[in-house]
Amino acid sequence: MSRKAHIVGVGESQYTKWGKIGDITEHALAHQAIMKAVADAGLSVDDVDGLASFAEDRNEAIFIAAELGLPELRFGNMVWMPGGGGGCAAVSNAAMAVETGQAEVVVVYRSLCQGQFMRFGHAAELMANNAGAAAEPPPVSFSQANTLMLAAMGMVMPFGMLTGAAAFALPFRRHMHKYGTTSEHLGKIAVTFREHANNNPRAVLKDKPLTLEQHQASRMIADPFRLFDCCMENDGACAVVITTEERAKDLAKARGRTPVEIVATVQGAPKGYSFGSFTNANIDDDIYATGGTEQMANRLWQKADMKPSDIDVAQIYDHFTGSVLMQLEDFGFCKRGEGGDFIDSGALSVKGGSLPTNTSGGSLSEAYMHGLNHVLEGARSLWGESCNPVKDAKACLVTSAAGVPSSAILLRAN
Amino acid sequence: MNAEAKRWFPNSMPAPMVDHHTLPWWQACAEHKLTAQRCTKCNHAQIPPAPICSECRGNAFEMTELNGKGTLYTYSAVHQPVSMEQTLPFIIAVIELDTSGTPCKNSVRLMSNIVDADESELAIGKPVEVVWETMSDMVSLPRFRFS
Ligand SMILES: [Zn+2]
């Protein structure tokens, strides 16, 4: 029988506001999510022989495997670069591992207890505190960049480029300039995802309704992104279990589920992209005002022999509302520059929209787990287990962060 | 006080992190020279400097001084502080640098700041010119104002 990769189990810890989980370490929280996902699949932790992660995970697979007492680690792997571009790529790597016979059951995991660590965007506070501690601050000098990422960041940080909000505001500002896209378009994205989260007991913002007026009145973070255009920062962990079709069919049957196949996966970046608009002022003009994922999207459709109109439900990475809009264009759900009209049509709402999107509430309203929670919701939406079910959904697109090297997967209920 | 000595950002802003390839660019900045790394084989201009030309894969370069003029390519008025002591909002900008009058075959963009401007003056495509902010004897930063 086929070794085609399938998703067979998903699980998460409680999601909370940033810094609220202090009584358990980040890797212990990862164990929780992994064990829940494995149990959800109807498997035992002893069945797991592979671990995959992304985003400069502090919780290395080799230690997670040792702590969990996995009988043998046959595949341990992480996608390059910080941030959420690699979530679907980690799923892709897990799928490659099972399809090539390197492992039988691979778990993709992400755990974040950011209050226990200094997050990148907060580095300035740390530096300021350190500077304040010295009697006489030393004169401004150079420091050595020990990685290519730091060398790239070292060119832009002196100008104040430290946050995703600023990094992704730059391409979206050009989108507004070229196509007349507005802050209200962005507001409608935020409001729709919040409505979805209001039905999701896992969502950090479940009990916080949001109106377009509140969005428009919210404080500016990095123009044109207001507070409600930006994802949250959260504590929590989640995990996804991937195995072969052969095992998936039995497991799905036992759970009364439809097997969910990982039909196709893609990852990568356009020519010369490096770390996208975060560090790179020289992204090609043709693709500057995009999510940078169009090339990759075309490859995905081709590999899957599918097209945008085949998709019943989508989980689009939403670190910022503007990135959702540009990705919808990249993936061909509407023409370039027409993302605003597409949003105006109500397309993203589970209540009658043509492309119900982020049915859990996404990073804007469920939780910011660097987008791995989007993969969980993708599987749930095809199992009929979403809090915002889309009737008879058979095909789901899941994407990772745009504006940096990215990845995406297509899921299908068979 | 001459215009060159003007300050817009505090010293507590993140300092440059450099490697072998980017250091010469920063050293030119310390002399208030805005440069691009130019491949001597194909005249491709690139910032930041790198060990290889991404166009022809040549590895011989010169740091070419530019005229300090450019246009505003995109921007964001940022309302979150990067340093505790800075004035908000501050403007992060991508500047399309003019390479005319040099052998460079392309224009090249730089991440920087717009200074001495009100938010309402910001518009893509407006001409800008470099102004230097001396942070220390070692570090000067090229910022831009509308020309
Ligand atoms: Zn060259």
Side-chain angles (χ1 to χ4, degrees), chain A residues 124 140 170 174 221 281-282 285, chain B residues 18 73-74 76 79 82 109 136:
Chain A
V140 178
L170 295 175
R174 266 194 87 76
I221 301 294
N282 288 285
D285 185 56
Chain B
V18 303
Y73 184 76
T74 189
S76 175
H79 293 249
V82 166
R109 296 185 221 124
S136 70

Side-chain angles (χ1 to χ4, degrees), chain A residues 124-125 140-143 145 151 154-155 158-160 162 170 173-174 177 220-223 278 281-283 285 288, chain B residues 11 14-19 26 47 73-77 79-80 82 84 90 92 108-109 111-113 124 136 138 142:
Chain A
E125 293 166 33
V140 178
S141 180
F142 301 112
S143 62
M155 284 292 293
F159 302 103
L162 268 91
L170 295 175
R173 168 58 63 187
R174 266 194 87 76
H177 172 75
M220 199 63 89
I221 301 294
D223 185 23
F278 226 118
N282 288 285
I283 295 169
D285 185 56
Y288 193 94
Chain B
N11 279 0
M17 284 181 289
V18 303
D19 69 7
W26 287 105
I47 300 177
Y73 184 76
T74 189
Y75 62 89
S76 175
H79 293 249
Q80 281 178 312
V82 166
M84 291 310 185
F90 70 102
I92 291 185
V108 61
R109 296 185 221 124
M111 191 91 70
S112 177
N113 306 107
I124 287 172
S136 70
M138 278 173 287

Side-chain angles (χ1 to χ4, degrees), chain A residues 306 310-314 382 392-397 410-413:
Chain A
M306 289 169 74
D310 294 329
I311 298 300
D312 302 305
V313 54
L382 299 182
D392 299 326
K394 292 274 181 272
C396 179
L397 169 71
L410 273 174
L411 304 177
R412 185 170 59 207

Side-chain angles (χ1 to χ4, degrees), chain B residues 39-112:
Chain B
C39 169
T40 54
K41 191 169 152 199
C42 79
N43 284 325
H44 175 67
Q46 52 191 26
I47 300 177
I52 188 166
C53 168
S54 63
E55 289 295 305
C56 76
R57 289 160 192 137
N59 62 0
F61 299 101
E62 277 176 13
M63 296 305 289
T64 298
E65 187 172 359
L66 309 179
N67 60 21
K69 296 185 193 317
T71 53
L72 182 55
Y73 184 76
T74 189
Y75 62 89
S76 175
V78 180
H79 293 249
Q80 281 178 312
V82 166
S83 148
M84 291 310 185
E85 298 141 16
Q86 81 189 103
T87 322
L88 294 177
F90 70 102
I91 316 298
I92 291 185
V94 173
I95 309 298
E96 182 103 49
L97 297 174
D98 179 6
T99 54
S100 63
T102 75
C104 298
K105 68 178 178 187
N106 57 299
S107 64
V108 61
R109 296 185 221 124
L110 176 71
M111 191 91 70
S112 177

Side-chain angles (χ1 to χ4, degrees), chain A residues 58 66 88 114-115 123 128 187 217 226 253 378 390:
Chain A
R58 286 180 285 255
C88 288
Q114 304 198 101
R226 299 175 175 281
K253 199 171 173 188
V390 174

Side-chain angles (χ1 to χ4, degrees), chain A residues 85-97:
Chain A
C88 288
V91 174
S92 172
N93 289 347
M96 282 197 286

